Amino acid sequence: METENKTKFIAFSSQKGGVGKSTFTVLAASELHYRLGYNVAVFDADFPQYSLVKMKSRDLGMVMENEFLKKTAFRQFTAINKKAYPIIEHKAEGVVQAAIEFLQSSDLRFDFVFFDLPGTVNTPGILKALAGMHHIFTPITADRVVMESSLVFTQLMKDVVMKKGSTSIKSIILFWNQVDGRERSPLYDLYSRLIGELGLKVMRTQVMNSTRFRKESEAASKTVFRSTLLPVDERLMKACRVDQFIAEFLEVVNS
């Protein structure tokens, strides 16, 4: 299934909650759209909470109330001469077709469409939605429950969905998130070997742990981490290795 103008469909997806799917959707979308010059759209298909739609509303309110961020946003949107990326609410069922229709009806050419999908394969339409992605990135942490769930999910995608034939998937790749730099856990080496033995791929970049992953910017803040209206603050991005992650992400999707 080819999309309009070769737009890439991307999902950060896993069966396990709390590992960073929605956070990475926003981090990647904002970095690509606001700093790197790509045109991005996001489909929030995580019914019923639609957390990214709600996040955009909160982000707008916070920027309007924070003079520093208001000026930052004004300078940004003047410089890039384009609007904030759209976040469209849709259930998982039929979301890929809805995205194709959105692209066909838009005057703008989009480089990437990100999909924030529900965290369970029992959701109606979820397997068809995943089969419509070009690239799936699965965040993992060195936790036995997370790893077991993630490996089962990734094997399901690789062995069932991709082998059915009617799929757009070009790659499924795991990546380490919330890595504690003070901890040299043997679990990382153990699980990396296991991932290799299963014939799965893992990204070179390990994203470092930070409390920023679990909270949005504060009202008086002069730095932004997770925002739908601004890219990650460069110092915070380097501290967590998000800059390296985005560079490797682009290697994967453009190869």
Side-chain angles (χ1 to χ4, degrees), residues 10-13 21-22 25 41-54 86-99 113-120 123-126 129-130 133:
I10 311 285
F12 289 95
S13 196
K21 295 175 300 194
S22 297
T25 301
V42 174
F43 272 78
D44 185 350
D46 197 5
F47 172 85
Q49 56 265 37
Y50 292 127
S51 58
L52 297 192
V53 170
K54 291 172 184 170
I87 300 180
I88 300 136
E89 198 176 290
H90 199 286
K91 286 188 179 180
E93 203 160 14
V95 71
V96 172
Q97 185 57 38
V113 178
F114 288 90
F115 296 78
D116 194 36
L117 299 169
T120 170
T123 305
I126 187 68
L130 286 163
M133 298 300 105

Side-chain angles (χ1 to χ4, degrees), residues 52-108:
L52 297 192
V53 170
K54 291 172 184 170
M55 186 191 293
K56 187 171 185 179
S57 179
R58 288 195 303 274
D59 288 344
L60 185 57
M62 190 189 68
V63 165
M64 294 310 292
E65 290 166 15
N66 181 315
E67 281 304 315
F68 180 84
L69 294 182
K70 190 192 291 186
K71 287 174 184 172
T72 302
F74 177 77
R75 285 196 301 270
Q76 168 185 282
F77 287 111
T78 303
I80 66 176
N81 193 30
K82 61 181 179 181
K83 297 177 181 178
Y85 55 81
I87 300 180
I88 300 136
E89 198 176 290
H90 199 286
K91 286 188 179 180
E93 203 160 14
V95 71
V96 172
Q97 185 57 38
I100 292 168
E101 289 168 7
F102 166 79
L103 294 174
Q104 289 170 340
S105 66
S106 175
D107 294 331
L108 189 65

Side-chain angles (χ1 to χ4, degrees), residues 16-229:
K16 190 77 183 68
V19 292
K21 295 175 300 194
S22 297
T23 293
F24 273 91
T25 301
V26 171
L27 291 179
S30 294
E31 178 67 10
L32 293 168
H33 189 79
Y34 300 126
R35 186 173 278 139
L36 298 181
Y38 295 97
N39 288 325
V40 169
V42 174
F43 272 78
D44 185 350
D46 197 5
F47 172 85
Q49 56 265 37
Y50 292 127
S51 58
L52 297 192
V53 170
K54 291 172 184 170
M55 186 191 293
K56 187 171 185 179
S57 179
R58 288 195 303 274
D59 288 344
L60 185 57
M62 190 189 68
V63 165
M64 294 310 292
E65 290 166 15
N66 181 315
E67 281 304 315
F68 180 84
L69 294 182
K70 190 192 291 186
K71 287 174 184 172
T72 302
F74 177 77
R75 285 196 301 270
Q76 168 185 282
F77 287 111
T78 303
I80 66 176
N81 193 30
K82 61 181 179 181
K83 297 177 181 178
Y85 55 81
I87 300 180
I88 300 136
E89 198 176 290
H90 199 286
K91 286 188 179 180
E93 203 160 14
V95 71
V96 172
Q97 185 57 38
I100 292 168
E101 289 168 7
F102 166 79
L103 294 174
Q104 289 170 340
S105 66
S106 175
D107 294 331
L108 189 65
R109 181 194 171 277
F110 286 89
D111 301 292
F112 296 98
V113 178
F114 288 90
F115 296 78
D116 194 36
L117 299 169
T120 170
V121 292
N122 296 326
T123 305
I126 187 68
L127 289 178
K128 190 171 182 182
L130 286 163
M133 298 300 105
H134 296 121
H135 301 277
I136 296 170
F137 293 84
T138 298
I140 51 173
T141 62
D143 172 273
R144 187 178 63 82
V145 175
V146 171
M147 284 302 303
E148 286 176 0
S149 173
S150 301
L151 292 175
V152 166
F153 168 79
T154 311
Q155 283 290 124
L156 172 71
M157 291 295 98
K158 187 169 173 280
D159 295 342
V160 178
V161 177
M162 287 182 79
K163 285 185 179 174
K164 280 187 175 178
S166 58
T167 175
S168 301
I169 300 172
K170 295 175 182 174
S171 74
I172 300 171
I173 192 161
L174 300 148
F175 67 94
W176 290 109
N177 185 28
Q178 300 173 20
V179 174
D180 189 339
R182 299 164 301 179
E183 178 188 78
R184 299 304 303 165
S185 173
L187 282 174
Y188 292 112
D189 294 331
L190 176 69
Y191 283 130
S192 290
R193 282 200 302 274
L194 176 60
I195 289 164
E197 286 166 10
L198 291 171
L200 304 173
K201 292 181 181 177
V202 63
M203 291 175 78
R204 301 184 306 273
T205 306
Q206 295 184 348
V207 181
M208 306 309 284
N209 193 25
S210 169
T211 55
R212 289 278 177 176
F213 280 97
R214 288 178 287 281
K215 66 179 182 181
E216 293 171 42
S217 297
E218 287 141 7
S221 178
K222 290 191 175 182
T223 57
V224 165
F225 188 74
R226 185 176 61 179
S227 171
T228 58
L229 299 176

